[in-house]
Amino acid sequence: MRHQPNLLLVAIEADQVVGSIMVGYDGHRGWISRIATLQSHRQKGIGEALIHEAERRLAGLGCIKINLQIVASNSTVLGFYRKCGYEVEERISMSKLLPKV
């Protein structure tokens, strides 16, 4: 929120948060970090609308490519992202847990 507040989007219906997306841009690539829609509001186009608005805002910053990662056990969202125009790329994702300070 401090660095790119215009890249955290919230969908509201009747004073209730029904969806949100958090994206970022590092000057090289855009990233979709989190997207969520209330279970009761899925299949209504809210997620797609959030994706499209995030893409519009990232493009306005000069972003030419957006990346996202899906946990393998959450493969059911593949269809959603494919519907939004995203494709699977062969990559190896690596991580490192840092010690607690």
Coordinates of all heavy atoms in Angstrom, one line a residue:
M1 N 0.8 -1.2 0.0 CA 0.0 0.0 0.0 C 0.9 1.3 0.0 O 0.5 2.2 -0.6 CB -0.9 0.0 1.2 CG -2.1 -0.9 1.1 SD -3.3 -0.4 -0.1 CE -3.9 1.1 0.7
R2 N 2.0 1.2 0.7 CA 2.8 2.4 0.8 C 3.5 2.8 -0.5 O 3.6 4.0 -0.8 CB 3.9 2.1 1.8 CG 4.2 3.2 2.8 CD 5.3 2.9 3.8 NE 5.6 1.5 3.8 CZ 5.7 0.8 4.9 NH1 5.4 1.4 6.1 NH2 6.1 -0.4 4.9
H3 N 3.9 1.8 -1.3 CA 4.6 2.1 -2.5 C 3.8 2.2 -3.8 O 4.1 3.0 -4.6 CB 5.7 1.0 -2.7 CG 6.7 0.9 -1.5 ND1 7.6 1.9 -1.2 CD2 6.8 0.0 -0.6 CE1 8.2 1.6 -0.2 NE2 7.8 0.4 0.3
Q4 N 2.8 1.3 -3.9 CA 1.9 1.3 -5.1 C 0.5 1.2 -4.7 O -0.2 0.2 -5.1 CB 2.4 0.2 -6.1 CG 3.8 0.4 -6.6 CD 4.3 -0.8 -7.4 OE1 4.0 -1.9 -7.1 NE2 5.0 -0.5 -8.4
P5 N -0.1 2.1 -4.0 CA -1.5 2.0 -3.6 C -2.5 1.8 -4.7 O -3.6 1.2 -4.5 CB -1.7 3.3 -2.8 CG -0.7 4.2 -3.3 CD 0.5 3.4 -3.7
N6 N -2.2 2.3 -5.9 CA -3.1 2.2 -7.0 C -3.1 0.8 -7.6 O -3.9 0.5 -8.6 CB -2.8 3.2 -8.1 CG -1.4 3.1 -8.6 OD1 -0.4 2.7 -7.9 ND2 -1.1 3.4 -9.9
L7 N -2.3 -0.1 -7.1 CA -2.3 -1.5 -7.6 C -2.9 -2.5 -6.6 O -2.7 -3.7 -6.8 CB -0.8 -1.9 -7.9 CG -0.1 -1.1 -9.0 CD1 1.3 -1.6 -9.3 CD2 -1.0 -1.1 -10.3
L8 N -3.6 -2.0 -5.6 CA -4.4 -2.8 -4.8 C -5.9 -2.5 -5.0 O -6.3 -1.3 -4.7 CB -4.1 -2.6 -3.3 CG -5.0 -3.3 -2.3 CD1 -4.9 -4.9 -2.5 CD2 -4.6 -3.0 -0.9
L9 N -6.6 -3.4 -5.7 CA -8.0 -3.1 -6.1 C -8.9 -3.9 -5.3 O -8.7 -5.0 -4.9 CB -8.1 -3.4 -7.6 CG -7.1 -2.8 -8.5 CD1 -7.3 -3.3 -9.9 CD2 -7.2 -1.3 -8.5
V10 N -10.1 -3.3 -4.9 CA -11.1 -3.9 -4.1 C -12.4 -3.8 -4.9 O -12.8 -2.7 -5.3 CB -11.2 -3.3 -2.7 CG1 -12.3 -3.9 -1.9 CG2 -9.8 -3.4 -2.0
A11 N -13.2 -4.9 -5.0 CA -14.5 -4.9 -5.6 C -15.5 -4.8 -4.4 O -15.4 -5.7 -3.5 CB -14.7 -6.1 -6.4
I12 N -16.4 -3.9 -4.4 CA -17.4 -3.7 -3.4 C -18.8 -3.8 -4.0 O -19.1 -3.2 -5.0 CB -17.2 -2.4 -2.6 CG1 -15.8 -2.3 -2.0 CG2 -18.3 -2.1 -1.6 CD1 -15.4 -1.0 -1.4
E13 N -19.6 -4.5 -3.3 CA -21.1 -4.6 -3.7 C -21.9 -4.4 -2.4 O -21.7 -5.2 -1.5 CB -21.3 -6.0 -4.3 CG -22.8 -6.1 -4.8 CD -23.0 -7.5 -5.4 OE1 -22.6 -7.7 -6.6 OE2 -23.6 -8.4 -4.7
A14 N -22.8 -3.4 -2.4 CA -23.6 -3.2 -1.3 C -22.8 -3.1 0.0 O -23.1 -3.7 1.0 CB -24.7 -4.2 -1.2
D15 N -21.8 -2.3 0.0 CA -20.9 -2.1 1.2 C -20.2 -3.3 1.7 O -19.8 -3.4 2.8 CB -21.7 -1.4 2.4 CG -22.3 -0.1 2.0 OD1 -21.6 0.6 1.2 OD2 -23.3 0.3 2.5
Q16 N -20.1 -4.3 0.9 CA -19.4 -5.5 1.2 C -18.2 -5.8 0.2 O -18.4 -5.7 -1.0 CB -20.3 -6.7 1.2 CG -19.7 -8.1 1.6 CD -20.6 -9.2 1.5 OE1 -21.6 -9.2 0.7 NE2 -20.3 -10.3 2.2
V17 N -17.1 -6.1 0.8 CA -15.9 -6.5 -0.1 C -16.2 -7.8 -0.7 O -16.4 -8.8 0.1 CB -14.6 -6.4 0.7 CG1 -13.5 -7.0 -0.2 CG2 -14.3 -5.1 1.2
V18 N -16.3 -7.9 -2.0 CA -16.6 -9.2 -2.7 C -15.4 -9.7 -3.5 O -15.4 -10.8 -4.0 CB -17.8 -9.1 -3.6 CG1 -19.1 -8.8 -2.7 CG2 -17.7 -8.0 -4.7
G19 N -14.4 -8.9 -3.6 CA -13.2 -9.4 -4.3 C -12.0 -8.4 -4.2 O -12.3 -7.2 -3.9
S20 N -10.8 -8.9 -4.4 CA -9.7 -8.0 -4.3 C -8.5 -8.6 -5.1 O -8.5 -9.8 -5.4 CB -9.2 -7.7 -2.9 OG -8.8 -9.0 -2.3
I21 N -7.6 -7.7 -5.6 CA -6.4 -8.2 -6.3 C -5.3 -7.3 -5.8 O -5.5 -6.0 -5.6 CB -6.6 -8.1 -7.8 CG1 -5.4 -8.8 -8.5 CG2 -6.9 -6.7 -8.3 CD1 -5.6 -9.0 -10.0
M22 N -4.1 -7.9 -5.6 CA -2.9 -7.1 -5.2 C -1.9 -7.4 -6.3 O -1.5 -8.6 -6.5 CB -2.4 -7.6 -3.9 CG -1.2 -6.8 -3.4 SD -0.7 -7.2 -1.7 CE -0.5 -8.9 -1.7
V23 N -1.4 -6.4 -7.0 CA -0.4 -6.6 -8.0 C 0.7 -5.6 -7.7 O 0.6 -4.7 -6.9 CB -1.0 -6.3 -9.4 CG1 -2.1 -7.3 -9.7 CG2 -1.5 -4.9 -9.6
G24 N 1.8 -5.9 -8.4 CA 3.0 -5.0 -8.2 C 3.7 -4.9 -9.5 O 3.6 -5.7 -10.5
Y25 N 4.6 -3.9 -9.6 CA 5.4 -3.6 -10.8 C 6.8 -3.2 -10.3 O 6.9 -2.2 -9.5 CB 4.7 -2.5 -11.6 CG 5.5 -2.2 -12.9 CD1 5.8 -3.2 -13.8 CD2 5.9 -0.9 -13.1 CE1 6.5 -2.9 -15.0 CE2 6.6 -0.6 -14.3 CZ 6.9 -1.6 -15.2 OH 7.6 -1.3 -16.4
D26 N 7.8 -3.9 -10.7 CA 9.2 -3.6 -10.3 C 9.9 -2.8 -11.3 O 11.1 -2.7 -11.2 CB 9.9 -4.9 -9.9 CG 10.0 -5.9 -11.1 OD1 9.8 -5.5 -12.2 OD2 10.4 -7.1 -10.8
G27 N 9.3 -2.4 -12.3 CA 9.9 -1.6 -13.4 C 10.4 -2.5 -14.6 O 10.7 -2.1 -15.6
H28 N 10.2 -3.8 -14.3 CA 10.6 -4.8 -15.4 C 9.4 -5.7 -15.7 O 9.1 -5.9 -16.9 CB 11.8 -5.7 -14.9 CG 12.3 -6.7 -15.9 ND1 12.9 -6.3 -17.1 CD2 12.3 -8.0 -15.8 CE1 13.2 -7.4 -17.7 NE2 12.9 -8.5 -17.0
R29 N 8.8 -6.3 -14.7 CA 7.6 -7.1 -14.9 C 6.6 -6.8 -13.9 O 6.8 -6.3 -12.8 CB 8.0 -8.6 -14.6 CG 8.9 -9.2 -15.7 CD 8.2 -9.5 -17.0 NE 9.1 -10.2 -17.9 CZ 9.6 -9.6 -19.0 NH1 9.5 -8.3 -19.2 NH2 10.4 -10.3 -19.8
G30 N 5.3 -7.1 -14.3 CA 4.2 -6.9 -13.3 C 4.0 -8.3 -12.7 O 4.3 -9.3 -13.3
W31 N 3.5 -8.3 -11.5 CA 3.2 -9.5 -10.8 C 1.8 -9.5 -10.2 O 1.4 -8.5 -9.6 CB 4.2 -9.8 -9.7 CG 5.5 -10.3 -10.1 CD1 6.6 -9.6 -10.5 CD2 5.8 -11.7 -10.3 NE1 7.6 -10.4 -11.0 CE2 7.1 -11.7 -10.8 CE3 5.1 -12.9 -10.1 CZ2 7.8 -12.9 -11.1 CZ3 5.8 -14.1 -10.4 CH2 7.1 -14.1 -10.9
I32 N 1.0 -10.5 -10.4 CA -0.2 -10.7 -9.7 C 0.1 -11.5 -8.4 O 0.5 -12.7 -8.5 CB -1.3 -11.4 -10.5 CG1 -1.7 -10.5 -11.7 CG2 -2.5 -11.7 -9.7 CD1 -2.7 -11.2 -12.7
S33 N 0.0 -10.9 -7.3 CA 0.4 -11.6 -6.0 C -0.8 -12.3 -5.4 O -0.6 -13.4 -4.9 CB 1.0 -10.5 -5.1 OG 2.1 -9.9 -5.6
R34 N -1.9 -11.7 -5.4 CA -3.1 -12.2 -4.7 C -4.3 -11.8 -5.5 O -4.4 -10.6 -5.9 CB -3.2 -11.7 -3.3 CG -2.1 -12.0 -2.4 CD -2.2 -13.4 -1.8 NE -1.2 -13.6 -0.7 CZ 0.0 -14.0 -0.9 NH1 0.4 -14.2 -2.1 NH2 0.8 -14.2 0.1
I35 N -5.3 -12.7 -5.6 CA -6.6 -12.3 -6.1 C -7.6 -13.2 -5.4 O -7.3 -14.4 -5.1 CB -6.7 -12.5 -7.6 CG1 -8.1 -12.0 -8.1 CG2 -6.4 -13.9 -8.1 CD1 -8.3 -11.9 -9.6
A36 N -8.7 -12.6 -5.0 CA -9.7 -13.4 -4.3 C -11.1 -12.9 -4.6 O -11.2 -11.7 -4.8 CB -9.4 -13.3 -2.8
T37 N -12.0 -13.8 -4.6 CA -13.4 -13.4 -4.8 C -14.2 -14.2 -3.8 O -13.9 -15.4 -3.6 CB -13.9 -13.7 -6.2 OG1 -13.1 -13.1 -7.1 CG2 -15.4 -13.2 -6.4
L38 N -15.2 -13.6 -3.1 CA -16.0 -14.3 -2.2 C -16.6 -15.5 -2.9 O -17.1 -15.4 -4.1 CB -17.2 -13.5 -1.7 CG -16.9 -12.5 -0.5 CD1 -18.1 -11.8 -0.2 CD2 -16.3 -13.2 0.7
Q39 N -16.7 -16.6 -2.3 CA -17.2 -17.9 -2.9 C -18.6 -17.6 -3.4 O -19.0 -18.0 -4.5 CB -17.3 -19.0 -1.8 CG -17.8 -20.3 -2.4 CD -16.7 -21.3 -2.6 OE1 -15.6 -21.2 -2.0 NE2 -16.9 -22.3 -3.4
S40 N -19.4 -16.8 -2.7 CA -20.8 -16.6 -3.1 C -20.9 -15.7 -4.4 O -21.9 -15.5 -5.0 CB -21.6 -15.9 -2.0 OG -21.0 -14.7 -1.6
H41 N -19.8 -15.0 -4.7 CA -19.8 -14.1 -5.8 C -18.9 -14.6 -7.0 O -18.6 -13.8 -7.9 CB -19.3 -12.7 -5.4 CG -20.3 -12.0 -4.6 ND1 -20.7 -12.4 -3.3 CD2 -21.0 -10.9 -4.9 CE1 -21.6 -11.6 -2.8 NE2 -21.8 -10.7 -3.8
R42 N -18.5 -15.8 -7.0 CA -17.7 -16.4 -8.1 C -18.6 -16.6 -9.3 O -19.8 -16.7 -9.2 CB -17.0 -17.6 -7.7 CG -15.9 -17.3 -6.6 CD -15.1 -18.4 -6.2 NE -14.2 -18.0 -5.2 CZ -13.5 -18.7 -4.4 NH1 -13.7 -20.1 -4.4 NH2 -12.7 -18.2 -3.5
Q43 N -18.0 -16.7 -10.5 CA -18.7 -16.9 -11.7 C -19.6 -15.7 -12.1 O -20.5 -15.9 -12.9 CB -19.6 -18.2 -11.7 CG -18.8 -19.5 -11.3 CD -17.7 -19.8 -12.4 OE1 -18.0 -19.7 -13.6 NE2 -16.6 -20.2 -11.9
K44 N -19.3 -14.5 -11.6 CA -20.0 -13.3 -11.9 C -19.2 -12.3 -12.7 O -19.6 -11.2 -12.9 CB -20.6 -12.7 -10.6 CG -21.7 -13.6 -9.9 CD -22.2 -12.9 -8.8 CE -23.3 -13.7 -8.1 NZ -24.0 -13.0 -7.0
G45 N -17.9 -12.7 -13.0 CA -17.1 -11.8 -13.7 C -16.3 -10.8 -12.9 O -15.5 -10.0 -13.4
I46 N -16.4 -10.9 -11.5 CA -15.7 -10.0 -10.7 C -14.1 -10.2 -10.8 O -13.4 -9.3 -10.9 CB -16.1 -10.2 -9.2 CG1 -17.6 -9.7 -9.1 CG2 -15.2 -9.4 -8.2 CD1 -18.2 -10.1 -7.8
G47 N -13.7 -11.5 -10.7 CA -12.3 -11.8 -10.9 C -11.7 -11.3 -12.2 O -10.6 -10.7 -12.2
E48 N -12.4 -11.5 -13.3 CA -12.0 -11.1 -14.6 C -11.9 -9.5 -14.6 O -11.0 -9.0 -15.2 CB -13.0 -11.5 -15.7 CG -12.7 -12.9 -16.2 CD -13.5 -13.2 -17.4 OE1 -13.2 -12.8 -18.5 OE2 -14.6 -13.9 -17.2
A49 N -12.9 -8.9 -14.1 CA -12.9 -7.4 -14.1 C -11.7 -6.9 -13.3 O -11.0 -5.9 -13.7 CB -14.2 -6.9 -13.5
L50 N -11.4 -7.5 -12.1 CA -10.2 -7.1 -11.4 C -8.9 -7.3 -12.1 O -8.0 -6.5 -12.2 CB -10.2 -7.9 -10.0 CG -11.2 -7.5 -9.0 CD1 -11.3 -8.5 -7.9 CD2 -10.9 -6.1 -8.4
I51 N -8.8 -8.5 -12.8 CA -7.6 -8.8 -13.6 C -7.5 -7.7 -14.8 O -6.4 -7.2 -15.0 CB -7.7 -10.2 -14.3 CG1 -7.6 -11.3 -13.2 CG2 -6.7 -10.4 -15.4 CD1 -6.2 -11.7 -12.9
H52 N -8.6 -7.5 -15.5 CA -8.5 -6.5 -16.6 C -8.1 -5.1 -16.1 O -7.3 -4.4 -16.8 CB -9.8 -6.5 -17.4 CG -10.0 -7.8 -18.1 ND1 -9.1 -8.4 -18.9 CD2 -11.1 -8.6 -18.1 CE1 -9.6 -9.5 -19.4 NE2 -10.8 -9.6 -18.9
E53 N -8.6 -4.7 -15.0 CA -8.3 -3.3 -14.5 C -6.8 -3.3 -14.0 O -6.1 -2.3 -14.2 CB -9.2 -2.9 -13.3 CG -8.9 -1.6 -12.7 CD -9.0 -0.4 -13.7 OE1 -9.6 -0.5 -14.8 OE2 -8.4 0.7 -13.4
A54 N -6.4 -4.4 -13.4 CA -5.0 -4.5 -12.9 C -4.1 -4.4 -14.2 O -3.1 -3.7 -14.2 CB -4.7 -5.7 -12.1
E55 N -4.4 -5.1 -15.2 CA -3.6 -5.1 -16.5 C -3.6 -3.7 -17.1 O -2.6 -3.2 -17.5 CB -4.2 -6.1 -17.5 CG -4.1 -7.5 -17.1 CD -4.8 -8.5 -18.0 OE1 -5.7 -8.1 -18.7 OE2 -4.6 -9.7 -17.9
R56 N -4.7 -3.0 -17.0 CA -4.8 -1.7 -17.6 C -3.9 -0.7 -16.8 O -3.1 0.0 -17.4 CB -6.2 -1.2 -17.5 CG -6.5 0.2 -18.2 CD -7.9 0.7 -18.0 NE -8.0 1.2 -16.6 CZ -7.5 2.3 -16.1 NH1 -6.8 3.1 -16.9 NH2 -7.7 2.7 -14.9
R57 N -3.9 -0.8 -15.5 CA -3.1 0.0 -14.7 C -1.6 -0.3 -14.9 O -0.8 0.6 -14.9 CB -3.5 -0.1 -13.2 CG -4.8 0.5 -13.0 CD -5.2 0.5 -11.5 NE -6.6 0.9 -11.3 CZ -7.0 1.5 -10.2 NH1 -6.3 1.6 -9.2 NH2 -8.3 1.9 -10.1
L58 N -1.2 -1.6 -14.9 CA 0.1 -2.0 -15.2 C 0.6 -1.5 -16.5 O 1.7 -1.0 -16.6 CB 0.3 -3.5 -15.0 CG 0.3 -4.0 -13.6 CD1 0.1 -5.5 -13.6 CD2 1.5 -3.6 -12.8
A59 N -0.2 -1.6 -17.5 CA 0.2 -1.1 -18.9 C 0.4 0.4 -18.8 O 1.4 0.9 -19.5 CB -0.9 -1.5 -19.9
G60 N -0.4 1.1 -18.1 CA -0.2 2.5 -17.9 C 1.1 2.9 -17.3 O 1.6 4.0 -17.5
L61 N 1.7 2.0 -16.6 CA 3.1 2.2 -15.9 C 4.2 1.8 -16.8 O 5.4 1.9 -16.5 CB 3.1 1.4 -14.6 CG 2.2 1.9 -13.5 CD1 2.3 0.9 -12.3 CD2 2.5 3.3 -13.1
G62 N 3.9 1.2 -18.0 CA 4.9 0.8 -19.0 C 5.2 -0.7 -18.9 O 6.1 -1.2 -19.5
C63 N 4.4 -1.4 -18.1 CA 4.6 -2.9 -18.0 C 4.2 -3.6 -19.3 O 3.2 -3.3 -19.9 CB 3.7 -3.4 -16.8 SG 3.8 -5.1 -16.6
I64 N 5.1 -4.5 -19.7 CA 4.8 -5.2 -21.0 C 4.5 -6.7 -20.7 O 4.1 -7.4 -21.7 CB 6.0 -5.1 -22.0 CG1 7.3 -5.6 -21.4 CG2 6.1 -3.6 -22.4 CD1 8.4 -5.8 -22.4
K65 N 4.8 -7.2 -19.5 CA 4.5 -8.6 -19.2 C 4.1 -8.8 -17.8 O 4.7 -8.1 -16.9 CB 5.7 -9.5 -19.5 CG 5.4 -11.0 -19.3 CD 6.7 -11.8 -19.7 CE 6.3 -13.3 -19.5 NZ 7.5 -14.1 -19.6
I66 N 3.1 -9.6 -17.5 CA 2.7 -9.9 -16.2 C 2.9 -11.4 -15.8 O 2.5 -12.2 -16.6 CB 1.2 -9.5 -16.0 CG1 0.9 -8.1 -16.3 CG2 0.7 -9.9 -14.6 CD1 -0.6 -7.7 -16.4
N67 N 3.5 -11.6 -14.7 CA 3.7 -13.0 -14.2 C 2.8 -13.3 -13.0 O 2.4 -12.3 -12.3 CB 5.1 -13.1 -13.8 CG 6.1 -13.0 -14.9 OD1 5.8 -13.4 -16.1 ND2 7.3 -12.6 -14.6
L68 N 2.5 -14.5 -12.8 CA 1.9 -15.0 -11.6 C 2.3 -16.4 -11.3 O 2.8 -17.1 -12.2 CB 0.3 -14.8 -11.7 CG -0.4 -15.6 -12.8 CD1 -0.8 -17.0 -12.4 CD2 -1.6 -14.9 -13.3
Q69 N 2.1 -16.8 -10.1 CA 2.4 -18.2 -9.8 C 1.2 -18.8 -9.1 O 0.5 -18.2 -8.4 CB 3.6 -18.3 -8.8 CG 4.9 -17.8 -9.4 CD 6.1 -17.9 -8.4 OE1 5.9 -17.7 -7.2 NE2 7.2 -18.3 -8.9
I70 N 1.0 -20.1 -9.4 CA -0.1 -20.9 -8.8 C 0.6 -22.1 -8.1 O 1.4 -22.8 -8.7 CB -1.0 -21.4 -10.0 CG1 -1.6 -20.3 -10.8 CG2 -2.1 -22.3 -9.4 CD1 -2.3 -20.7 -12.0
V71 N 0.1 -22.3 -6.9 CA 0.6 -23.4 -6.1 C 0.0 -24.7 -6.9 O -1.2 -24.7 -7.2 CB 0.1 -23.4 -4.7 CG1 0.5 -24.6 -3.9 CG2 0.6 -22.1 -4.0
A72 N 0.8 -25.7 -7.1 CA 0.4 -26.9 -7.8 C -0.9 -27.5 -7.3 O -1.7 -28.0 -8.1 CB 1.6 -27.9 -7.8
S73 N -1.1 -27.4 -6.0 CA -2.3 -28.0 -5.4 C -3.5 -27.2 -5.7 O -4.6 -27.6 -5.5 CB -2.1 -28.2 -3.9 OG -1.9 -27.0 -3.3
N74 N -3.4 -26.0 -6.3 CA -4.5 -25.1 -6.6 C -4.7 -25.0 -8.1 O -5.0 -24.0 -8.7 CB -4.2 -23.7 -6.0 CG -5.5 -22.9 -6.1 OD1 -6.6 -23.3 -6.3 ND2 -5.3 -21.6 -5.8
S75 N -4.6 -26.2 -8.8 CA -4.6 -26.2 -10.2 C -6.0 -25.9 -10.8 O -6.1 -25.6 -12.0 CB -4.2 -27.5 -10.8 OG -5.0 -28.6 -10.3
T76 N -7.0 -25.8 -10.0 CA -8.4 -25.5 -10.4 C -8.5 -24.1 -11.0 O -9.4 -23.8 -11.8 CB -9.4 -25.7 -9.3 OG1 -9.1 -24.9 -8.2 CG2 -9.5 -27.2 -8.9
V77 N -7.6 -23.2 -10.6 CA -7.6 -21.8 -11.1 C -7.0 -21.7 -12.5 O -7.1 -20.6 -13.1 CB -7.0 -20.8 -10.1 CG1 -7.7 -20.9 -8.8 CG2 -5.5 -21.0 -9.9
L78 N -6.4 -22.7 -13.0 CA -5.8 -22.7 -14.3 C -6.8 -22.2 -15.4 O -6.4 -21.4 -16.2 CB -5.2 -24.0 -14.7 CG -3.8 -24.3 -14.3 CD1 -3.4 -25.7 -14.6 CD2 -2.8 -23.4 -14.9
G79 N -7.9 -22.8 -15.3 CA -9.0 -22.4 -16.3 C -9.3 -20.9 -16.2 O -9.5 -20.3 -17.3
F80 N -9.4 -20.4 -15.0 CA -9.7 -19.0 -14.9 C -8.6 -18.1 -15.5 O -8.9 -17.2 -16.3 CB -9.8 -18.6 -13.4 CG -9.9 -17.2 -13.1 CD1 -11.0 -16.4 -13.4 CD2 -8.7 -16.5 -12.6 CE1 -11.0 -15.0 -13.1 CE2 -8.7 -15.2 -12.3 CZ -9.9 -14.4 -12.6
Y81 N -7.4 -18.4 -15.2 CA -6.3 -17.6 -15.8 C -6.2 -17.8 -17.3 O -5.9 -16.8 -18.0 CB -5.0 -17.9 -15.1 CG -4.9 -17.3 -13.7 CD1 -4.8 -18.1 -12.6 CD2 -4.9 -15.9 -13.5 CE1 -4.7 -17.6 -11.3 CE2 -4.9 -15.4 -12.2 CZ -4.8 -16.2 -11.1 OH -4.7 -15.7 -9.9
R82 N -6.4 -19.0 -17.8 CA -6.4 -19.2 -19.2 C -7.5 -18.4 -19.9 O -7.3 -17.8 -20.9 CB -6.5 -20.7 -19.5 CG -5.2 -21.4 -19.3 CD -5.3 -22.8 -19.9 NE -4.0 -23.4 -19.9 CZ -3.6 -24.5 -19.4 NH1 -4.6 -25.3 -18.9 NH2 -2.4 -25.0 -19.5
K83 N -8.6 -18.3 -19.3 CA -9.8 -17.5 -19.8 C -9.4 -16.0 -19.9 O -9.8 -15.3 -20.8 CB -11.0 -17.7 -18.9 CG -12.2 -17.0 -19.4 CD -13.4 -17.3 -18.5 CE -14.6 -16.6 -18.9 NZ -15.7 -16.7 -17.9
C84 N -8.5 -15.6 -19.0 CA -8.1 -14.2 -19.0 C -6.9 -14.0 -19.9 O -6.3 -12.9 -19.9 CB -7.7 -13.8 -17.5 SG -9.1 -13.7 -16.4
G85 N -6.4 -15.0 -20.6 CA -5.4 -14.9 -21.6 C -4.0 -15.3 -21.1 O -3.0 -15.1 -21.8
Y86 N -3.9 -15.9 -19.9 CA -2.6 -16.3 -19.4 C -2.2 -17.7 -19.9 O -3.1 -18.5 -20.1 CB -2.6 -16.2 -17.9 CG -2.6 -14.7 -17.4 CD1 -3.8 -14.0 -17.4 CD2 -1.4 -14.1 -17.0 CE1 -3.8 -12.7 -17.0 CE2 -1.4 -12.8 -16.6 CZ -2.6 -12.1 -16.6 OH -2.6 -10.7 -16.3
E87 N -0.9 -17.9 -20.0 CA -0.4 -19.2 -20.5 C 0.6 -19.8 -19.5 O 1.3 -19.0 -18.9 CB 0.2 -19.1 -21.9 CG -0.7 -18.5 -22.9 CD 0.0 -18.3 -24.3 OE1 1.3 -18.6 -24.3 OE2 -0.6 -17.8 -25.2
V88 N 0.7 -21.1 -19.5 CA 1.6 -21.8 -18.6 C 3.0 -21.6 -19.3 O 3.1 -21.9 -20.5 CB 1.3 -23.2 -18.4 CG1 2.4 -24.0 -17.6 CG2 -0.1 -23.3 -17.7
E89 N 4.0 -21.2 -18.5 CA 5.4 -21.2 -19.0 C 6.2 -22.2 -18.2 O 6.0 -22.3 -17.0 CB 6.0 -19.8 -18.8 CG 5.4 -18.7 -19.6 CD 6.1 -17.3 -19.4 OE1 6.6 -17.1 -18.3 OE2 6.1 -16.5 -20.3
E90 N 7.1 -22.8 -18.8 CA 8.0 -23.8 -18.1 C 9.0 -23.0 -17.3 O 9.8 -22.2 -17.9 CB 8.7 -24.7 -19.1 CG 7.8 -25.6 -19.8 CD 7.1 -26.6 -18.9 OE1 7.8 -27.1 -18.0 OE2 5.9 -26.9 -19.1
R91 N 8.9 -23.1 -16.0 CA 9.8 -22.4 -15.1 C 10.1 -23.3 -13.9 O 9.3 -24.1 -13.6 CB 9.2 -21.1 -14.6 CG 8.9 -20.1 -15.7 CD 10.2 -19.4 -16.2 NE 10.0 -18.3 -17.1 CZ 10.0 -18.4 -18.4 NH1 10.2 -19.5 -19.0 NH2 9.8 -17.3 -19.2
I92 N 11.2 -23.0 -13.2 CA 11.4 -23.6 -11.9 C 11.3 -22.5 -10.9 O 12.0 -21.4 -11.0 CB 12.8 -24.2 -11.9 CG1 12.9 -25.4 -12.9 CG2 13.1 -24.7 -10.5 CD1 14.3 -26.0 -13.0
S93 N 10.5 -22.6 -10.0 CA 10.3 -21.6 -8.9 C 11.1 -22.1 -7.7 O 11.0 -23.2 -7.3 CB 8.8 -21.5 -8.5 OG 8.6 -20.6 -7.6
M94 N 11.9 -21.2 -7.2 CA 12.7 -21.5 -6.0 C 12.4 -20.5 -4.9 O 12.0 -19.4 -5.2 CB 14.2 -21.4 -6.4 CG 14.6 -22.4 -7.5 SD 16.3 -22.3 -8.0 CE 17.2 -22.8 -6.5
S95 N 12.6 -20.9 -3.7 CA 12.4 -20.1 -2.6 C 13.4 -20.4 -1.4 O 14.0 -21.5 -1.5 CB 11.0 -20.2 -2.1 OG 10.7 -21.5 -1.5
K96 N 13.4 -19.5 -0.5 CA 14.3 -19.7 0.7 C 13.6 -19.1 1.9 O 13.2 -17.9 1.8 CB 15.6 -19.1 0.5 CG 16.6 -19.2 1.7 CD 17.9 -18.5 1.4 CE 18.8 -18.6 2.6 NZ 20.1 -18.0 2.4
L97 N 13.4 -19.8 2.9 CA 12.9 -19.3 4.2 C 14.0 -18.6 4.9 O 15.0 -19.2 5.1 CB 12.2 -20.4 5.0 CG 11.0 -21.0 4.4 CD1 10.5 -22.2 5.3 CD2 9.9 -20.0 4.3
L98 N 13.7 -17.4 5.4 CA 14.7 -16.7 6.2 C 14.5 -16.9 7.6 O 13.4 -17.1 8.1 CB 14.6 -15.2 5.8 CG 14.9 -14.8 4.4 CD1 14.7 -13.3 4.2 CD2 16.3 -15.2 4.0
P99 N 15.6 -16.9 8.4 CA 15.4 -17.1 9.9 C 14.6 -15.9 10.5 O 14.7 -14.8 10.0 CB 16.8 -17.2 10.4 CG 17.7 -16.5 9.3 CD 16.9 -16.7 8.0
K100 N 13.8 -16.2 11.5 CA 13.1 -15.2 12.2 C 14.1 -14.3 12.9 O 15.0 -14.8 13.6 CB 12.0 -15.8 13.1 CG 11.0 -16.5 12.3 CD 9.9 -17.0 13.2 CE 8.9 -17.7 12.3 NZ 7.7 -18.1 13.1
V101 N 13.8 -13.1 12.9 CA 14.7 -12.1 13.6 C 14.2 -11.7 14.9 O 13.0 -11.6 15.1 CB 14.9 -10.8 12.7 CG1 16.1 -10.0 13.2 CG2 15.1 -11.2 11.3

